[in-house]
Amino acid sequence: MKVILFCQNAYAFGIMAPIRDVLVADSHEFLWYIPKKLVNVFPNKKENFTTSILDLQLYKSDVIYVPGNEVPYYLRGLKVQIFHGLAGEKKGHFHIRNYFDLYLTQGPYFTKRFNQLKAKYQDFDVIETGWPKLDIYGKNAKSFEKDKENISKLYGADKIVLFAPTFSPRLTSAPHLLSEIEQLALNTGFVVFVKFHDLMDEKWITAYKNLSHRIPNIIFQEEKNIIKFLLIADILISDTSSVIYEFLLLGKPVVSFRNISGNIHWDDSRAYAQLTEKVVENLENDPFKSERDLINQEFHPYTDGKSAHRMVEVVEAYIQKNGVPASRDLSLPRKLKINNMFGKPVLDLWSGKKKNKITALLITLNEINNIEAVLENIGFADEIIVVDSYSTDGTVEKVNEHKKAKLIQRPFKNYTDQKSFTMNQATNDWVLFMDADERLTDTLKNEILKTVNSEGLESVAFMFLRTFMFKNKVLRFSGWQSDKNYRLFRKSRVYFDNDRIVHETLVVNGKSGIMKNKLIHYSYSDYEDYKGKMVKYGQMKAIEEHQKNKKAYPYHFIFRPLYKFINHYILRLGILDGRKGITICYLNALGVYSRYKELKRLRALEKPSSS
């Protein structure tokens, strides 16, 4: 069985991990999907993962597990919603969005409600399995006892409190309990863990971090998976977060503020006051202990730690009986929503009958801001080779962590020299040579795969048009509208011209083509970074011209930079890019000025010839 673990938020990792463990144990194939924003925090980089919806299309899965509300309708596979919490009273929990074929519910309360909806819509099924995130309760409930003991000794505290509010601006207690949390820590000496949802407002994240810096026994937790803190804590403070139900299932007391549930079985207050008194009262007397049993039976009665196993087992049986759906039929508005969220499906999809292998190549120097994203982006290649010029910012460590990338370190002489060396390391004839700040779109990646495996292909090299990104916005003019470079070619039919050491020139022995889809070029991240690039390119161009015995004259310092600016800003319509156009055109002109300044310096260093 081929399975996609579809994660849209970081909290999904802890929900999916038990399912992943079952898939490994049962020898099923699986692929993680995460959005690009989560690459840096994804904990399972040694496993198969992607940020590309095209990769999911090509994967042709049998099952897609989704602890969220949306999934692309056009992906092959049984679309299974497994939920991201237990808060059935929250708006939208029982809202049917038509994206799923099967709902796997946590307990009788949820099963009953979804079966009522099934009778109404009649286009999905419901099976009760339990919730995989809570499997740890049945297996490792005591796994963090040593951690708890060490924390208690370190702070001299006999109790640990967990504050885990919801992120919703309308419902969160975070703005109202800042001083109450401070007084709780000061008055009791208890250790207070503060654990916020990924989507919490940055203002309150900063406020509570500052509070933790002032008061030692308040600890702001950055770790993504909350399970550890649920197991360690003696009591929970919250509001309307679904984490309340996870905590109640551990048989421990909860204090909440303005919870919106219509059926509360714990200590809830309508006023943001007397937090310390409520915490002490619940820890000492636990007045709601008997009422927790009802929650346990209705919300999640499973204590065997096998919910993930049931999820895999019932899906296997379901597919065996009903087959694997090729896609999910939706209304046009629903399709447009999904297309807006995840992109349109790639049409004319590559068949997957691969013949020619591809080597992806990179040269790097201190690319920590790009390296993880670009390696993931070119992960579809059969081989990845990175030639690094002794980076010092962590780039090397990230390359070494990648399961496919091969690292070679070599001093940088110039671009032509480094790229020639790098190309020669490729095992395969077809080479994809990328810059670290470039990204392939799904449609371009599909075009590459189809192109290199086309019957009767005559072209041996392909240029890519590039979309220039100014920070995260498209720069449409300023000379970049027709920018293109060779990126895909057969190494046996090309070489780099040794006379060019910057903006290297590829000499092609055969026909060339241009790809239809554009490459995305994230060259401008900030002013100083791009300025540094332009100055560096200008200085290297000066070395190239010095070797050709060229000289710098006064007009080079005035007219050549001025012409560069006017050409790009007026003739090539940089004026239409607004302030972005002025910035880019100025910095490009600065690169020209830097070239002649460096050329003049190099000429001045020459020894006078003897008579």
Side-chain angles (χ1 to χ4, degrees), residues 196-246:
F196 283 168
H197 191 283
D198 301 322
L199 302 179
M200 178 63 79
D201 189 321
E202 281 291 336
K203 176 171 61 176
W204 302 118
I205 291 175
T206 300
Y208 279 88
K209 281 185 176 180
N210 290 339
L211 183 63
S212 70
H213 294 155
R214 289 194 292 108
I215 302 175
N217 56 316
I218 296 179
I219 305 170
F220 192 93
Q221 296 291 353
E222 303 274 11
E223 189 173 326
K224 296 298 179 183
N225 192 351
I226 198 174
I227 287 291
K228 174 181 177 180
F229 310 113
L230 295 177
L231 292 171
I232 288 177
D234 296 294
I235 189 170
L236 171 70
I237 302 169
S238 191
D239 32 52
T240 304
S241 172
S242 63
V243 76
I244 288 175
Y245 298 98
E246 298 177 41

Side-chain angles (χ1 to χ4, degrees), residues 331-591:
S331 65
L332 180 59
R334 296 283 188 186
K335 286 183 178 180
L336 292 175
K337 178 182 177 180
I338 291 296
N339 291 349
N340 184 57
M341 291 182 68
F342 301 106
K344 295 179 182 179
V346 176
L347 304 177
D348 192 23
L349 200 64
W350 173 57
S351 67
K353 296 177 181 178
K354 199 165 185 178
K355 295 179 181 178
N356 294 314
K357 292 185 176 182
I358 299 172
T359 296
L361 302 174
L362 290 171
I363 63 172
T364 59
L365 173 62
N366 293 333
E367 290 287 356
I368 191 62
N369 293 328
N370 285 309
I371 192 63
E372 285 191 292
V374 71
L375 287 176
E376 192 283 324
N377 187 241
I378 59 178
F380 73 102
D382 303 279
E383 177 183 51
I384 299 174
I385 296 174
V386 180
V387 176
D388 180 79
S389 306
Y390 298 97
S391 294
T392 58
D393 66 344
T395 298
V396 170
E397 290 75 11
K398 293 298 182 183
V399 175
N400 284 329
E401 287 175 6
H402 196 275
K403 62 181 179 179
K404 189 185 288 187
K406 175 185 176 182
L407 175 71
I408 300 171
Q409 290 194 287
R410 180 178 187 263
F412 182 86
K413 180 180 177 182
N414 58 58
Y415 285 102
T416 296
D417 173 74
Q418 197 78 333
K419 286 197 169 185
S420 296
F421 171 83
T422 303
M423 185 169 65
N424 289 334
Q425 310 312 305
T427 301
N428 303 306
D429 193 32
W430 275 107
V431 166
L432 174 67
F433 215 132
M434 297 272 286
D435 288 346
D437 59 2
E438 295 176 333
R439 304 290 182 270
L440 304 169
T441 63
D442 277 354
T443 50
L444 179 54
K445 190 186 300 184
N446 185 62
E447 186 180 1
I448 290 169
L449 291 168
K450 289 177 69 67
T451 297
V452 301
N453 295 297
S454 299
E455 295 289 344
L457 180 64
E458 295 184 358
S459 296
V460 298
F462 291 88
M463 301 189 89
F464 289 9
L465 292 164
R466 297 192 296 180
T467 297
F468 187 97
M469 302 298 292
F470 185 98
K471 296 184 179 179
N472 289 317
K473 296 183 178 180
V474 175
L475 192 78
R476 302 190 181 279
F477 303 100
S478 302
W480 288 99
Q481 56 267 52
S482 59
D483 174 56
K484 58 182 180 292
N485 295 90
Y486 282 108
R487 288 291 179 261
L488 180 69
F489 41 83
R490 292 177 57 186
K491 73 168 190 173
S492 61
R493 303 291 296 275
V494 303
Y495 66 90
F496 288 102
D497 184 356
N498 289 325
D499 290 336
R500 300 288 297 273
I501 64 174
V502 64
H503 299 308
E504 60 287 344
T505 300
L506 190 74
V507 180
V508 179
N509 182 20
K511 290 186 176 181
S512 294
I514 300 176
M515 303 299 273
K516 295 178 182 178
N517 295 286
K518 288 187 175 183
L519 188 74
I520 300 177
H521 188 200
Y522 292 95
S523 185
Y524 189 101
S525 57
D526 59 56
Y527 182 87
E528 292 301 326
D529 176 68
Y530 193 78
K531 177 182 176 182
K533 288 180 183 179
M534 293 300 99
V535 171
K536 178 183 177 182
Y537 292 151
Q539 291 172 343
M540 295 190 70
K541 185 68 176 176
I543 296 172
E544 182 181 301
E545 295 194 356
H546 181 255
Q547 291 174 349
K548 296 177 181 178
N549 202 33
K550 292 187 177 182
K551 297 180 181 180
Y553 295 100
Y555 79 90
H556 283 126
F557 294 91
I558 300 173
F559 294 107
R560 292 297 293 271
L562 182 61
Y563 172 76
K564 183 75 170 182
F565 181 86
I566 293 173
N567 182 40
H568 281 245
Y569 189 67
I570 303 298
L571 301 181
R572 307 198 70 183
L573 304 178
I575 191 172
L576 298 180
D577 284 319
R579 293 181 65 182
K580 300 191 298 290
I582 295 174
T583 300
I584 289 295
C585 294
Y586 165 74
L587 290 176
N588 288 343
L590 179 64

